[in-house]
Every structure is written in structure tokens, then in C-alpha cells.
Amino acid sequence: SCDTSMASQLSELNRYPFLTNSDAHSLGKIAREYTKIKMDHASFAEFKLALEEKDGRAVTGNYGLAPRLGKYYHTTCEKCGVRPHAPDQEECHVCGHTRMTKGVSERL
């Protein structure tokens, strides 16, 4: 639910390569998000080299939906999808549901 620029705001993660991939729940959403990786050939050993940025292998890009357009960018009610008035609101002002999914923008 975030992109490279958002993930880089967490400095403790900067030593790790950022990967983004779709967990598509429908055929139309397959490859909506993907990571481009430079490898010599497809293998787990090559993938490991790319993650470690060794011997010319590397993650070269992450592509996908802009985070602001995603379902989980803002905190929303798990039942009706409405955003709360305040970040610490415990009950939905529309349907009364008591579970909110905290959005990635608020988690950062």
C-alpha cells in the first residue's frame, strides 16, 4: 500500500531493498504492482544476489498504483469504508462499527 518514496521515510528500512507486488484477488488485478529486478537468469541464487546488490544484480524499480489511489491509504471503517473524523476514533460515525483499518499514510 505504499511506494518507494513512502517506504524510504522509515530510515531503519533503508538498508533493505523495497519490493512491491500485487496480491491480486482477481484476474484483472494481476501485475497491477510489480518489481523490476536485474538478474542473469531466473533462480533463487540470482534473486538473492539482486537483493544483496551484488555482482551487478539489483532491484531496478517498483511500479504500481499511486498509493493515494489505494484502498488502504487512509484509515477507514472495515464495514462500510468511511473515513473517521479523527485518527483515534474508535467507532464509525456512519455505521457504528468498532474496527478501523489504519491507513498507510497514518502509519508512516
Side-chain angles (χ1 to χ4, degrees):
S1 296
C2 72
D3 61 12
T4 306
S5 65
M6 290 177 76
S8 67
Q9 293 178 41
L10 302 171
S11 60
E12 63 266 30
L13 299 178
N14 286 344
R15 62 187 174 127
Y16 302 105
F18 180 70
L19 307 174
T20 184
N21 292 283
S22 172
D23 64 339
H25 295 266
S26 64
L27 198 54
K29 293 182 180 179
I30 290 177
R32 182 177 69 176
E33 295 190 17
Y34 63 96
T35 300
K36 188 173 178 183
I37 302 172
K38 182 179 179 187
M39 300 188 300
D40 185 52
H41 59 278
S43 73
F44 285 110
E46 285 288 314
F47 183 61
K48 183 176 188 275
L49 288 173
L51 293 178
E52 296 171 344
E53 296 184 328
K54 291 184 176 175
D55 300 328
R57 280 72 162 187
V59 173
T60 59
N62 290 289
Y63 304 92
L65 185 69
R68 283 182 166 74
L69 302 176
K71 181 178 177 181
Y72 301 109
Y73 186 71
H74 291 292
T75 299
T76 59
C77 171
E78 289 183 6
K79 187 174 181 182
C80 71
V82 171
R83 290 178 59 193
H85 291 307
D88 59 344
Q89 187 175 326
E90 294 182 15
E91 185 175 298
C92 179
H93 61 277
V94 173
C95 72
H97 194 65
T98 56
R99 290 185 50 184
M100 303 283 173
T101 298
K102 192 168 188 177
V104 68
S105 63
E106 286 91 3
R107 283 183 267 155
L108 284 175

